[in-house]
Amino acid sequence: MEVQTKTRGMVTVDDSRVLDFPKGLFGFEEYHRYALIEAEYEPFFWLQSLDEVGLAFLLVDPFLIVNDYELDIDDKMLGDIGVASPADVYVWSVVTVPADGGPVTANLQGPLVINRKTRQALQVILSDSKWTIKHNILKALQTRGN
């Protein structure tokens, strides 16, 4: 399908990359359909709203940033998007790139969980205070290399 994007103009997206967030994202509950699109720079992706061209989120795989990242998510919540096994999901973190040149951060406390099979998705809030909403990506990658 053809998708008008915020950052790349019109792009072709395979139907397997179209996701449904039945409850929306926090702060954006009225938007449910998104496309997962490769960003210009690896390992980032865009989560582009199919309902609002001006709404797109930069994403990164949190496991690339943090070795010991873990999610403790209620089974009922996962059941809401049809997850039967941990192997059914993949996880993304929303990235913030501040306009003032501050550190690029990932929201590790509010990851996106996507069912690979049904393409249903949700955003969760993790109760573990170890994970923050502004995890410095560059600092984490430098630490990870040591």
Side-chain angles (χ1 to χ4, degrees):
M1 80 185 307
E2 295 296 310
V3 174
Q4 181 66 39
T5 68
K6 178 179 177 180
T7 61
R8 299 183 56 199
M10 191 69 75
V11 298
T12 301
V13 176
D14 189 271
D15 288 344
S16 68
R17 295 286 183 119
V18 175
L19 308 173
D20 178 44
F21 286 79
K23 296 180 181 178
L25 300 174
F26 295 117
F28 302 92
E29 289 83 1
E30 65 273 25
Y31 303 106
H32 301 270
R33 296 184 60 235
Y34 292 85
L36 191 59
I37 301 168
E38 289 182 24
E40 303 84 299
Y41 302 102
E42 287 186 35
F44 300 101
F45 278 75
W46 286 105
L47 184 68
Q48 173 66 56
S49 171
L50 298 179
D51 303 314
E52 174 57 52
V53 173
L55 182 61
F57 301 93
L58 190 59
L59 305 178
V60 69
D61 179 341
F63 298 100
L64 295 176
I65 301 168
V66 181
N67 287 331
D68 61 345
Y69 188 60
E70 30 182 41
L71 294 82
D72 185 18
I73 303 170
D74 180 60
D75 289 341
K76 181 183 177 335
M77 289 179 78
L78 293 175
D80 289 347
I81 60 168
V83 173
S85 160
D88 292 347
V89 302
Y90 56 101
V91 178
W92 293 99
S93 290
V94 176
V95 174
T96 300
V97 181
D100 67 2
V104 177
T105 61
N107 180 348
L108 298 182
Q109 192 175 42
L112 309 181
V113 179
I114 301 166
N115 183 327
R116 295 175 189 268
K117 295 178 180 177
T118 66
R119 297 189 319 268
Q120 296 277 303
L122 56 81
Q123 184 175 24
V124 299
I125 299 296
L126 302 178
S127 59
D128 189 340
S129 61
K130 177 179 180 179
W131 310 120
T132 68
I133 60 170
K134 295 201 177 279
H135 193 85
N136 185 317
I137 293 175
L138 186 56
K139 190 174 182 179
L141 291 175
Q142 289 169 342
T143 303
R144 184 179 173 131
N146 295 332

